Amino acid sequence: MTTETRTPESQRIEAALTELWERIYDPQSRAVIDGLPAAGPRRVLELGAGAGSMAYWLAERADTASVLAVDTDVSALDADRSPKLTVRQLDVKEAEFEEGSFDLVFARALFEHLDGAEEVLARAVRWLAPGGWLVVEDFYFLPSEHCATPAGRALVAAYLQGWKAAGADMHWGRRLPSTLARAGLEAVDLRVTPLGPGQHPDDNELMRLRMALQGEGLVERGLVGAEDLKQFVVNLDDPRARDVTTLLFSAWGRRPSA
C-alpha cells in the first residue's frame, strides 16, 4: 500500500521507511544466506530488488561471482556500486532466464504481491543450477480479530482489506515451506520472526512512519476511523498493547544436484 501523492514530506518519510526496513529485515536475510553452503562463487539473482541494500551486500561478498538485480522500478538501484552488479528493469511475472543460470535466487516481500505466485516460483526453481538455493521471505498477517486492542483490530483489518484490494495475498508466507517442497526443492527449512506493536523500537518506529504516510488515506477510504488510527499510534509505546500482528516467514530450499 503506497501513498498516491508524493510531497516533499512524503518523500522524506518514504526514505526513512526504506532505511528502517533495511535495518530491520536485512540482518535476518543476510543470516539465512550466510548459513547456506556454497560450492564456489555464486551467480545471484535478486527478484524485486527495491532500493538495493541486499543486492549491494551480495555483490560485496567474496563468494559472489555476479548479481543480477531486477525490479519493475529500478530508479533507486545504482548499478555502479559494484562491477559484479547488473540492474535490469523487468516484471518478474514476464521474466524468463535460461535454466540453470543462477546458484542463488533471493526474493523478499515479493511473491505475496504476485498473481500466480506458485507458477512464478516454479520458474525461479528452473533458473537454479543443480545444487543452487532459492531463498524467499514473505509476510503472514494474523487474523485481525485476534489483535490485543480494538485499535489494533481496526488497523490490521484495514491493512488486510487494502492489500486484498491491491491483489496481494498476505497469507502467502505461511505456505512457503510446502510450496518450496512441492516445487521439487530439497533441504527445505524455515525461520519465523514475530512482528507487531511493542516487539522492537524499530518495529514501532516503522509503524509510526507508515501511519504518518498512509494513515490519512486509510481514513479517507473509510477503511479505519480517525480515532482508531490515533489510538493505534499512541498504543505503540504502551506495553499493555504489545502484540504479534504479523509473522515473517523466511524459507529456503536447494535444487537437487541430480
Side-chain angles (χ1 to χ4, degrees), residues 20-50:
L20 263 176
W21 173 275
E22 294 170 353
R23 187 193 311 166
I24 293 170
Y25 300 121
D26 280 8
Q28 173 147 316
S29 301
R30 294 176 180 183
V32 169
I33 293 170
D34 277 337
L36 302 177
R42 286 179 171 139
R43 300 160 297 167
V44 180
L45 170 64
E46 183 179 4
L47 302 172

Side-chain angles (χ1 to χ4, degrees), residues 157-211:
Y159 261 83
L160 285 171
Q161 186 175 343
W163 286 125
K164 184 176 181 180
D169 180 0
M170 302 314 292
H171 297 141
W172 159 261
R174 181 176 177 176
R175 302 194 296 276
L176 268 176
S178 62
T179 301
L180 294 183
R182 287 196 304 272
L185 298 181
E186 62 182 16
V188 173
D189 209 344
L190 79 156
R191 181 180 298 177
V192 181
T193 304
L195 305 166
Q199 294 302 315
H200 190 276
D202 283 345
D203 286 350
N204 286 354
E205 183 60 19
L206 185 72
M207 285 180 278
R208 190 174 286 110
L209 286 171
R210 284 196 186 281
M211 294 306 101

Side-chain angles (χ1 to χ4, degrees), residues 3-203:
T3 182
E4 295 179 0
T5 57
R6 290 175 55 83
T7 65
E9 177 63 9
S10 71
Q11 292 177 34
R12 182 194 69 78
I13 295 174
E14 286 175 358
L17 274 169
T18 297
E19 181 181 349
L20 263 176
W21 173 275
E22 294 170 353
R23 187 193 311 166
I24 293 170
Y25 300 121
D26 280 8
Q28 173 147 316
S29 301
R30 294 176 180 183
V32 169
I33 293 170
D34 277 337
L36 302 177
R42 286 179 171 139
R43 300 160 297 167
V44 180
L45 170 64
E46 183 179 4
L47 302 172
S53 63
M54 285 299 297
Y56 303 148
W57 175 78
L58 286 160
E60 292 169 358
R61 293 174 58 89
D63 64 358
T64 297
S66 62
V67 177
L68 174 58
V70 305
D71 206 315
T72 54
D73 180 1
V74 297
S75 60
L77 292 168
D78 180 6
D80 295 329
R81 285 286 292 263
S82 170
K84 298 179 183 178
L85 177 63
T86 301
V87 172
R88 191 178 302 172
Q89 185 171 4
L90 282 175
D91 184 338
V92 67
K93 292 183 293 185
E94 301 171 359
E96 191 55 87
F97 302 98
E98 186 177 343
E99 182 167 352
S101 297
F102 302 99
D103 306 294
L104 172 66
V105 176
F106 171 71
R108 183 173 66 195
L110 171 70
F111 281 91
E112 63 201 32
H113 297 286
L114 299 179
D115 182 28
E118 292 198 13
E119 190 277 330
V120 177
L121 189 144
R123 285 194 285 120
V125 170
R126 293 198 298 271
W127 302 336
L128 286 173
W133 292 89
L134 175 62
V135 178
V136 180
E137 298 185 296
D138 277 303
F139 296 92
Y140 172 70
F141 271 68
L142 295 164
S144 59
E145 60 267 28
H146 297 167
C147 288
T149 65
R153 290 192 286 274
L155 258 295
V156 172
Y159 261 83
L160 285 171
Q161 186 175 343
W163 286 125
K164 184 176 181 180
D169 180 0
M170 302 314 292
H171 297 141
W172 159 261
R174 181 176 177 176
R175 302 194 296 276
L176 268 176
S178 62
T179 301
L180 294 183
R182 287 196 304 272
L185 298 181
E186 62 182 16
V188 173
D189 209 344
L190 79 156
R191 181 180 298 177
V192 181
T193 304
L195 305 166
Q199 294 302 315
H200 190 276
D202 283 345
D203 286 350

